[in-house]
Amino acid sequence: MMEQLFKGKHFITLEDWTKEQIETLLKVSSELKALFYANTPTPYLLYKTAFLMFFEQSTRTRNSMESGLAQLGGHATFLDTSTMQISHGESAKDTAVILSSYGHGIACRNCFWGVGNKFIREMAEHATVPIMNLQCDIYHPMQALADLMTIREVKSETKNLKVSVIWAYAKSHKKPISVPVSQVLLFPRYGMDVTLAYPIGYDLPAWVIEKARKNAKAHGGSLTITHDMKEAYKNADIVIPKNWGSWVTNQSTAVVDDLLESNKMWKCTEEMMRLAKPDVKYMHALPADRGNEVEDSVIDGPHSIVYQEAENRLHTAKAVMAMTMGDK
Ligand code: CP
């Protein structure tokens, strides 16, 4: 790789990364994707190791990181935190210092509300290797980076693209707000006109909206908030209907409540998709709650790019690891 490395730089939120740095990550992601397709070895992290700490379940994130590091010539150790001394109260500091001395990177998923981001930042304060956020209560930068890569693959221009981040009904678990937060912060930096649509009670934090608006102003995008689902679908270029929990207004961990049940109609249907532009793309970070968040005919239909989006998690994860953990 010819690019300037970001050795040791933490990857906690893309808000800490300049557009120029994100461009480099995207360029490296695309190069790694092409090399993967060509079956060309990419030994940029030969013999390097990273620790993947998971407080929660994962399919895409865990496997893109594990496979990704192997494909870069290194090894990832999966750590179920319920089997670590953290579960007996060992501190984030001690964990970070010790794992730093055993390898070259530490990645962590901790989505507990009010806890996850603080835990990851505390590790970052004491680690001597890059800390990678694999999703916390506030941010999911790996997902947002893959989403941006995917949008740029399917749309030649992001400026004034109408991208609608839309709340959707689901009852599989009370999901973090980190995906929509990361999207509304990032996409306006690329000139996108983001519409955030949700039923009252599913607000994102006020500081997120304020920051997203600042990002939009600085880069020619916009952020519109609506509680009208149809307005979000109307003339959209990209729709991202996805559930998130009412964490800001209600910290209960109960999955199903009256507010949720009163919003069952917030589903991505073919009828809704017909309101969007004819070439609209449907995205979802996955896993999707099929039949609740979205009709099968939409997620499996011609507008859906969810598998491309999920695949790009591999290439972007490899780029982040190669650029923050690498020597050359
Ligand atoms: N989108 C995402 O982060 O998927 P997993 O929860 O399976 O990692």
Side-chain angles (χ1 to χ4, degrees), residues 45-292:
L45 294 178
L46 208 53
Y47 309 124
K48 302 262 181 189
T49 54
F51 299 96
L52 313 183
M53 297 168 52
F54 279 86
F55 286 80
E56 283 96 8
Q57 299 85 342
S58 168
T59 295
R60 281 141 290 271
T61 308
R62 173 182 174 176
N63 291 294
S64 59
M65 293 290 288
E66 281 200 38
S67 307
L69 188 46
Q71 290 162 21
L72 293 167
H75 173 77
T77 303
F78 171 75
L79 297 169
D80 172 344
T81 55
S82 71
T83 68
M84 293 177 74
Q85 295 295 6
I86 287 169
S87 64
H88 290 153
E90 187 163 24
S91 69
K93 175 187 170 182
D94 292 355
T95 306
V97 170
I98 289 151
L99 293 182
S100 292
S101 70
Y102 295 167
H104 309 91
I106 304 171
C108 180
R109 168 172 286 190
N110 184 339
C111 299
F112 291 108
W113 182 253
V115 172
N117 189 257
K118 284 195 187 89
F119 183 90
I120 288 170
R121 286 200 186 277
E122 196 181 332
M123 285 212 299
E125 206 180 304
H126 301 286
T128 54
V129 296
I131 295 289
M132 288 163 276
N133 181 358
L134 300 183
Q135 189 176 23
C136 67
D137 49 335
I138 310 292
Y139 303 112
H140 197 350
M142 291 284 186
Q143 185 64 50
L145 186 64
D147 290 346
L148 181 59
M149 178 180 182
T150 309
I151 291 172
R152 298 232 303 211
E153 284 177 338
V154 298
K155 298 285 179 188
S156 49
E157 174 63 77
T158 57
K159 181 120 183 68
N160 298 128
L161 210 59
K162 179 173 176 178
V163 179
S164 295
V165 175
I166 308 168
W167 185 90
Y169 172 79
K171 55 182 182 181
S172 49
H173 65 288
K174 187 163 174 175
K175 298 177 181 64
I177 60 171
S178 48
V179 171
V181 164
S182 301
Q183 291 167 341
V184 304
L185 287 170
L186 181 65
F187 296 164
R189 295 173 72 189
Y190 290 81
M192 298 181 209
D193 291 328
V194 175
T195 296
L196 175 65
Y198 58 91
I200 289 167
Y202 289 93
D203 310 68
L204 300 185
W207 67 263
V208 170
I209 302 305
E210 196 181 318
K211 189 71 193 1
R213 291 220 155 102
K214 269 191 196 150
N215 288 350
K217 198 168 176 195
H219 299 286
S222 65
L223 177 68
T224 304
I225 295 179
T226 179
H227 303 303
D228 178 348
M229 179 171 53
K230 286 186 178 170
E231 186 189 329
Y233 280 95
K234 207 171 164 195
N235 291 322
D237 294 288
I238 308 250
V239 293
I240 316 179
K242 187 199 173 303
N243 178 258
W244 63 85
S246 56
W247 295 107
V248 171
T249 57
N250 174 10
Q251 285 77 52
S252 161
T253 53
V255 179
V256 177
D257 57 21
D258 290 347
L259 179 66
L260 180 74
E261 289 304 292
S262 66
N263 286 295
K264 269 189 172 158
M265 72 295 277
W266 284 71
K267 181 194 279 195
C268 181
T269 60
E270 290 201 54
E271 190 191 340
M272 286 300 119
M273 292 295 284
R274 277 193 289 274
L275 299 174
K277 293 212 177 118
D279 63 345
V280 62
K281 301 296 181 199
Y282 166 88
M283 295 177 72
H284 192 299
L286 302 181
D289 191 341
R290 285 169 175 259
N292 285 321

Side-chain angles (χ1 to χ4, degrees), residues 5-62:
L5 293 170
F6 308 122
K7 192 169 171 61
K9 185 171 171 59
H10 299 309
F11 187 76
I12 296 176
T13 165
L14 288 165
E15 288 291 288
D16 295 338
W17 288 64
T18 66
K19 275 187 76 175
E20 198 181 16
Q21 290 170 331
I22 295 171
E23 282 306 330
T24 303
L25 289 177
L26 290 170
K27 183 169 179 283
V28 173
S29 301
S30 297
E31 284 169 8
L32 288 168
K33 186 171 184 174
L35 291 167
F36 180 74
Y37 279 35
N39 208 18
T40 303
T42 51
Y44 302 128
L45 294 178
L46 208 53
Y47 309 124
K48 302 262 181 189
T49 54
F51 299 96
L52 313 183
M53 297 168 52
F54 279 86
F55 286 80
E56 283 96 8
Q57 299 85 342
S58 168
T59 295
R60 281 141 290 271
T61 308
R62 173 182 174 176

